Structure formats: C-alpha cells, structure tokens
C-alpha cells in the first residue's frame, strides 16, 4: 500500500478519540467488575493511590509504572481510583498512538514533520486500531501505555533527541520489562543509520 497517498484529515483523529471515549463508556457499563488480570492490577493501583508504597502483590510480574501513572493522572484530574477511572489511564495512552504512528510514517518516508499535529492520515488511525491493541486500551493493563512510550521514544530518536529517547525508553520499562527488546531495536536502528551516514560522507 502506498502510505504517502493516504488521505489525511483532523477528522480521522477526532473520530478515533470519539470512538475511544464511547467504547470506554460502554465497556465500563457492561464490564463493571475487574476483568482478566484486573483483579491484581486494580487493588495494587488503589494501594498506591492511598500512598501505601510498601504494599505489593507478589503475583504481579510487571513493574509499577501502570500504578504510578494512575497516581499521577489522579493528581491531575482529581479523581478517585475506582475501576472506571483507572481504565482511563490506558485509554489516554491509546489516544497518543495515531500521533506517534503518523510521525514515524513521515520519518520513514523521509518527509518533513507535519505542522498540524492533529491532521493524521487514515493509515495511522487504522494501525492504532489494531484489534489486540485496541482491546487492551479499555482495560487497566500495561500493554497500551508500554507501547505508547516505546513509540514516543522512537519519535524522539527520529527527531534527534537522544536524552528524551533514553528517558521515554526507560519509562516504558516501568510498564513492561520486555520493552527492553524494542529499546535495543531503537538503539540498533539509530546506530546503523549513523554509521551508514558516516560512510556516505565525502572523504576530505
């Protein structure tokens, strides 16, 4: 598919945001009890919201980034750490995916960055709606926030901001330790491009 020929419009991103809000509302109305692994994640987040930092469920195998994010967002929006509002954490990260994906598409096509950040192509919205990813955007899970920060790290690397790449990559590991594979990929990609660029320089 010729990605650069995909139609772009801010309406695509607005529709994606609206669909995310509506689906989250429906999920909370139908699945009003913790689902799948949420019975482990929700109590842990609620303990952190109560500043009980010493509490940790040994059955949890992921780092505490998800719960720390819940505390940060709670302080910003002043909400209680109840299940419907905890599910807002991954949903907010889900909204960032089309923007990061659009930036990476432009980077790989060697096109200049878009001046209007909200004008995203349909391809970015389609990629962000990948069914397994979309599904976990409405549950209090680590998947979507982890992927969101990995993509953000890649965008920062594409923009030449190594420090921000390192910080975002490090923060992504607080959601899923397996993200180290993607951080190493970003490092390797950057290294290979730097070496190729150096080899193409005319010798003095």
């Amino acid at each position: 598919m010729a990605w650069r020929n995909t139609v772009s419009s801010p309406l695509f991103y607005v529709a994606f945001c609206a669909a995310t809000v509506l689906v989250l509302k429906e999920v909370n109305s139908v699945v009003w009890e913790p689902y799948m692994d949420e019975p482990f994640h929700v109590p842990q987040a609620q303990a952190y919201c109560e500043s009980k930092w010493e509490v940790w469920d040994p059955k949890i195998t992921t780092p505490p980034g998800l719960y720390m994010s819940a505390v940060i967002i709670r302080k910003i929006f002043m909400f209680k750490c109840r299940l419907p509002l905890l599910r807002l954490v991954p949903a907010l990260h889900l909204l960032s995916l089309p923007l990061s994906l659009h930036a990476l598409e432009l980077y790989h096509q060697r096109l200049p960055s878009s001046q209007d950040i909200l004008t995203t192509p349909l391809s970015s919205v389609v990629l962000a709606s990948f069914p397994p990813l979309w599904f976990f955007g409405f549950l209090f899970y680590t998947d979507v926030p982890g992927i969101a920060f990995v993509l953000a790290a890649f965008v920062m690397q594409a923009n030449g901001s190594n420090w921000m790449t390192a910080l975002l990559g490090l923060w992504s590991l607080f959601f899923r330790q397996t993200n180290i594979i993607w951080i190493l990929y970003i490092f390797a990609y950057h290294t290979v491009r730097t070496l190729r660029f150096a080899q193409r320089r005319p010798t003095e």
Side-chain angles (χ1 to χ4, degrees):
M1 178 179 181
W3 295 107
R4 68 181 63 197
N5 296 327
T6 303
V7 178
S8 298
S9 170
L11 293 178
F12 293 141
Y13 184 67
V14 171
F16 181 84
C17 293
T20 299
V21 172
L22 292 175
V23 172
L24 179 62
K25 181 179 179 181
E26 185 66 18
V27 168
N28 284 328
S29 66
V30 175
V31 189
W32 46 271
E33 291 184 340
Y35 179 66
M36 291 177 66
D37 285 352
E38 284 184 332
F40 303 104
H41 293 306
V42 171
Q44 185 62 54
Q46 291 172 338
Y48 273 35
C49 287
E50 296 173 1
S51 298
K52 297 179 180 178
W53 308 108
E54 74 284 357
V55 174
W56 184 259
D57 186 345
K59 296 179 182 178
I60 296 175
T61 59
T62 52
L66 181 65
Y67 323 122
M68 295 166 67
S69 296
V71 173
I72 294 171
I73 293 178
R74 171 182 176 269
K75 291 184 179 297
I76 295 174
F77 294 102
M78 303 299 293
F79 66 71
K80 295 182 179 180
C81 289
R82 295 182 291 109
L83 177 60
L85 294 174
L86 288 174
R87 286 174 174 166
L88 183 63
V89 175
L92 289 174
H93 288 86
L94 186 64
L95 297 181
S96 73
L97 297 187
L99 306 180
S100 295
L101 290 168
H102 178 38
L104 290 175
E105 285 183 33
L106 293 175
Y107 172 68
H108 285 290
Q109 294 166 6
R110 294 180 174 83
L111 296 175
S113 300
S114 175
Q115 298 299 319
D116 186 356
I117 190 174
L118 298 182
T119 301
T120 55
L122 182 59
S123 58
S124 299
V125 173
V126 170
L127 289 172
S129 304
F130 184 56
L133 184 63
W134 175 265
F135 173 80
F136 286 106
F138 306 104
L139 299 176
F140 191 58
Y141 265 50
T142 60
D143 300 64
V144 171
I147 291 174
F149 281 103
V150 167
L151 291 176
F154 209 153
V155 171
M156 289 298 103
Q157 182 275 318
N159 292 330
S161 180
N162 294 331
W163 279 106
M164 283 301 299
T165 301
L167 289 174
L168 291 170
L170 178 63
W171 183 238
S172 76
L173 299 180
F174 277 80
F175 292 92
R176 297 190 73 88
Q177 56 269 53
T178 52
N179 282 339
I180 187 64
I181 303 299
W182 297 111
I183 301 307
L184 290 174
Y185 169 79
I186 295 173
F187 172 75
Y189 182 87
H190 173 70
T191 302
V192 169
R193 287 194 82 251
T194 301
L195 292 175
R196 285 183 176 178
F197 180 77
Q199 291 176 352
R200 291 176 182 174
R201 287 181 179 176
T203 57
E204 297 183 356

